[in-house]
Amino acid sequence: MSTTTPPPLDPAIALALAADPDAVVGMTAEDIPVLRARAVPVPEHEVTRYGTFERTDLRFRSAADGAAVPVVLLRPVRTSGPLPVLFHIHGGGLVLGGPLDDLSATLDLAARTGCAVATVDYRLAPEHPYPTPLLDCYGGLVGVHETAREWNLDPTRIVVSGVSAGGGLAAAVTLWSRDHDGPDLLGQLLVCPMLDDRNASFSARQMRGAGTWDLTANATAWHAYLGDAAAGPDVPVHAAPGRAEDLRGLPPAFVDVASVETFRDECVAYANRIWQCGGAAELHVWPGGNHAFDFLAPWAPLSQDARAARLAWLRRLLLDA
């Protein structure tokens, strides 16, 4: 018999969550400017991983309106090319954040696999609703692909990655690229991705008021992105990939999510649908984690296991390419 009581948190994750005064749970529209004002600039030494990566600031054209889309390219200093690329899309519920956020874990993956990182500064909702954030990301991807040789990058080995809302955008960009004859992608690395605007799964109800991103916060974010269309019958799959039935022809996916988070059931369903369509997916549901737990507590054993699994998947993907 099912229950709306959340599963138990991992003890280390529970301690970290209890100690975090800024944990986002029930975000409302009024909270968005407050949360934006709290943002702290990322120190440059963290951006370049203490000088082990070289930073280049690029600009490409958005596929939405031709506006300039900033992309920060980070290439390992001591690795010869042409380099595989992690095209990274940051999280923040589609309404918060910037291209240097949640970058440390991606740079760690890149350092351990000889990849470059290209992180995109897409415009945020509600000021820029769908499809602008998606098409900013796609424009950045196309730009990186088209100029890859100029920057000693390998255009045949681009993996789209993203965290939370960035994971949802990564899935959407992958679908858009498939459906619009865009770049062929090597893989998609979807970390606790935000996939389904309907916000109606059992896990969404089960985690109401719990963790770091609940049903209320999720509804606020999707409404900012889609307006009154959110959770209605006419939302396109490129806006909410969790609605897509046809997941054929996609590159291999890594999908991970935690057992104590809103997105659990939609992520499991997405991986399952990839398998049903004959595709390749690796799914992890981390027991006792909450949303983005490995960013909340990177020192926790559960977080280290999650990051090790992503690394192993990426190494296998690059080895087979």
Side-chain angles (χ1 to χ4, degrees):
M1 180 177 177
S2 61
T3 174
T4 54
T5 302
L9 281 168
D10 175 271
I13 303 302
L15 285 172
L17 183 61
D20 184 3
D22 296 325
V24 177
V25 183
M27 182 186 73
T28 65
E30 291 72 25
D31 294 325
I32 292 172
V34 177
L35 292 168
R36 287 178 177 177
R38 287 184 190 170
V40 178
V42 179
E44 187 64 18
H45 66 266
E46 293 184 12
V47 176
T48 64
R49 211 166 183 262
Y50 293 89
T52 58
F53 283 77
E54 175 187 5
R55 174 175 178 168
T56 307
D57 290 287
L58 305 174
R59 287 181 177 268
F60 300 109
R61 291 189 178 277
S62 173
D65 55 10
V69 177
V71 172
V72 179
L73 176 63
L74 297 159
R75 292 172 293 169
V77 171
R78 296 187 178 180
T79 303
S80 59
L83 304 171
V85 184
L86 290 170
F87 184 85
H88 182 67
I89 306 175
H90 71 80
L94 300 164
V95 298
L96 306 171
L100 306 182
D101 294 346
D102 58 57
L103 189 58
S104 60
T106 304
L107 282 173
D108 188 60
L109 279 176
R112 293 168 181 266
T113 54
C115 289
V117 174
T119 180
V120 59
D121 189 5
Y122 59 91
R123 288 171 284 181
L124 300 173
E127 295 87 348
H128 301 282
Y130 174 82
T132 298
L134 165 66
L135 296 181
D136 284 358
C137 293
Y138 181 70
L141 172 66
V142 171
V144 169
H145 182 265
E146 289 180 345
T147 64
R149 299 297 184 190
E150 179 180 346
W151 302 107
N152 199 28
L153 308 175
D154 186 346
T156 69
R157 293 192 294 165
I158 298 177
V159 177
V160 177
S161 72
V163 176
S164 190
L169 284 170
V173 164
T174 303
L175 285 170
W176 187 274
S177 193
R178 179 198 68 179
D179 295 339
H180 294 83
D181 297 320
D184 289 329
L185 300 170
L186 184 62
Q188 49 182 328
L189 177 57
L190 311 179
V191 178
C192 54
M194 176 180 170
L195 297 168
D196 199 325
D197 67 295
R198 290 168 291 192
N199 206 20
S201 69
F202 182 84
S203 60
R205 298 191 303 275
Q206 188 180 32
M207 255 58 77
R208 184 193 294 270
T212 51
W213 187 262
D214 78 344
L215 182 147
T216 299
N218 206 35
T220 299
W222 280 113
H223 188 268
Y225 191 49
L226 299 173
D228 291 340
D234 300 320
V235 173
V237 299
H238 300 111
R243 290 176 175 258
E245 295 295 331
D246 182 4
L247 297 179
R248 293 173 296 177
L250 298 177
F254 181 99
V255 183
D256 78 351
V257 71
S259 65
V260 195
E261 72 164 299
T262 299
F263 299 152
R264 182 193 66 215
D265 294 353
E266 65 196 61
C267 290
V268 171
Y270 197 72
N272 192 51
R273 204 167 306 124
I274 291 173
W275 296 321
Q276 290 171 348
C277 291
E282 180 171 325
L283 170 68
H284 293 265
V285 181
W286 296 103
N290 65 340
H291 182 61
F293 64 90
D294 66 295
F295 295 90
L296 175 71
W299 43 266
L302 188 71
S303 301
Q304 294 173 15
D305 288 348
R307 293 189 174 189
R310 294 171 205 153
L311 175 61
W313 174 83
L314 182 59
R315 279 177 169 163
R316 292 194 304 271
L317 188 72
L318 294 171
L319 187 63
D320 293 339

